[in-house]
Amino acid sequence: MTPEVPKNHPRYESLVTREKIIEGMHQKIVAEAGLIAHGRGEAFDYILGENTPDFALKQEKLAVITLLKAEEPVISINGNVAVLCPNEIVELSRILEAPLEINLFYRRLEREEAIKNLLEKAGAQNIYGVDQSKQETIPEISHQRRIVDSRGIARSDCVFVPLEDGDRTMALRKLGKDVVTVDLNPLSRTSLTATVSITNNVSRAVKEMVSFAKDYKNMNSLALEDEKKRFDNKALLQEALKFMSSRLEELASDRKLFEV
Ligand code: ATP
Ligand code: MG
């Protein structure tokens, strides 16, 4: 059992999320290293102000358009993502017509089953990555994540991989695939090498992407192409870093902040 977080706590949301991750680890959904990754993310979210800035909304729009324009988009799921936003990721998969594939850095049958159950509870129907007869390997990747589903990541032209590791992002890019990611660290190798990087908390980003996907889904292909031209991934990533550094500068000059 995890302790109750008092509702009036100034950082209630963040503490509840932390408990979800810990609970997910006890249920064998989240890997131990997933806790450490979450901590890295939290540190960057503090700098963002635990809110979605404007540049991130633009990154999310570009991400949704890229996924909608793909021939065979797929959404790669790990333990942290499954625990943090199961309902939203299932809804996004449905709207984008992009299947969900469980693909773990720390691969264990028990963990795959637990994630599958969680996603099914959230309404997912056809989950890839768990049927041994459909496995294929990507030789460019050296660890267990090289095993992918022949119906999913193996043949996909555009993979959405929230909270991904840098090596794998680079391997997927080398294979000619587009990679869309969510990563609070704008300097991670994943953020720097993905086709589209979203510098935001995955819990907020996926919810916002659902809403953009509903809007863009009804746009025709030409209008969508025009809309895409409004955004530039590298420029937005630069904006993310500038936003973080100017926010730190502002806070550092705010005397009141230090008078608590
Ligand atoms: P890389 O391998 O890309 O250089 P890394 O080794 O630091 O980066 P990984 O563990 O491979 O990181 O990937 C996890 C990434 O996810 C980290 O950059 C971390 O900041 C980020 N992250 C963790 N929790 C969240 C979250 N809730 N929302 C968005 N990003 C998150
Ligand atoms: Mg890494």
Side-chain angles (χ1 to χ4, degrees):
M1 271 300 279
T2 48
E4 276 273 303
V5 180
K7 285 224 161 50
N8 61 352
H9 193 285
R11 301 198 58 262
Y12 176 80
E13 283 289 326
S14 170
L15 295 193
V16 168
T17 307
R18 206 176 287 175
E19 293 306 331
K20 271 195 214 165
I21 290 279
I22 295 171
E23 195 59 35
M25 188 198 65
H26 291 313
Q27 292 168 356
K28 315 278 184 216
I29 296 170
V30 171
E32 284 90 340
L35 267 69
I36 302 169
H38 184 75
R40 283 202 294 292
E42 272 194 355
F44 285 101
D45 210 11
Y46 239 103
I47 301 176
L48 276 192
E50 295 172 318
N51 267 316
T52 301
D54 279 352
F55 72 79
L57 292 173
K58 292 180 190 160
Q59 292 174 318
E60 289 160 14
K61 287 181 177 174
L62 179 59
V64 167
I65 298 170
T66 305
L67 286 158
L68 276 172
K69 288 184 77 66
E71 296 281 325
E72 298 197 57
V74 66
I75 302 178
S76 178
I77 302 284
N78 67 18
N80 286 45
V81 173
V83 161
L84 291 175
C85 49
N87 298 317
E88 293 81 1
I89 205 86
V90 169
E91 195 179 1
L92 188 67
S93 156
R94 189 182 53 75
I95 302 169
L96 295 175
E97 294 172 51
L100 298 169
E101 174 166 342
I102 299 170
N103 189 267
L104 309 177
F105 195 96
Y106 298 95
R107 197 183 175 91
R108 278 171 58 180
L109 208 60
E110 186 186 35
R111 182 162 297 131
E112 286 174 347
E113 278 303 317
I115 295 176
K116 183 168 176 271
N117 289 339
L118 181 69
L119 293 173
E120 280 174 348
K121 255 198 218 151
Q125 282 175 350
N126 190 16
I127 300 165
Y128 292 166
V130 277
D131 182 345
Q132 308 251 338
S133 71
K134 298 283 193 296
Q135 285 177 352
E136 244 180 63
T137 56
I138 298 180
E140 283 81 358
I141 303 175
S142 56
H143 47 72
Q144 288 172 319
R145 263 186 142 174
R146 70 162 70 157
I147 303 168
V148 294
D149 197 300
S150 54
R151 301 159 297 176
I153 293 174
R155 52 181 292 169
S156 171
D157 56 335
C158 181
V159 194
F160 179 33
V161 277
L163 321 194
E164 181 56 282
D165 170 60
D167 286 356
R168 214 172 75 115
T169 305
M170 281 144 86
L172 293 170
R173 294 288 288 128
K174 267 198 203 129
L175 290 170
K177 298 178 193 295
D178 278 333
V179 174
V180 173
T181 195
V182 180
D183 189 329
L184 273 159
N185 177 3
L187 294 173
S188 75
R189 289 169 310 151
T190 296
S191 289
L192 295 174
T193 52
T195 319
V196 182
S197 298
I198 299 170
T199 317
N200 198 6
N201 195 314
V202 74
S203 309
R204 296 191 299 270
V206 176
K207 198 189 259 177
E208 289 151 3
M209 286 172 80
V210 165
S211 148
F212 293 137
K214 283 179 184 162
D215 294 342
Y216 284 142
K217 180 119 180 133
N218 302 316
M219 243 188 214
N220 70 43
S221 174
L222 276 179
L224 211 54
E225 191 56 47
D226 275 350
E227 180 73 1
K228 189 168 185 250
K229 287 186 192 133
R230 294 175 50 215
F231 309 111
D232 177 80
N233 175 61
K234 291 284 175 221
L236 288 168
L237 203 52
Q238 279 180 295
E239 248 189 77
L241 260 182
K242 282 184 190 153
F243 178 93
M244 286 183 175
S245 79
S246 57
R247 187 158 189 276
L248 283 178
E249 293 243 13
E250 270 166 36
L251 291 171
S253 322
D254 180 0
R255 292 285 303 208
K256 279 200 228 113
L257 187 68
F258 304 96
E259 285 162 13
V260 184

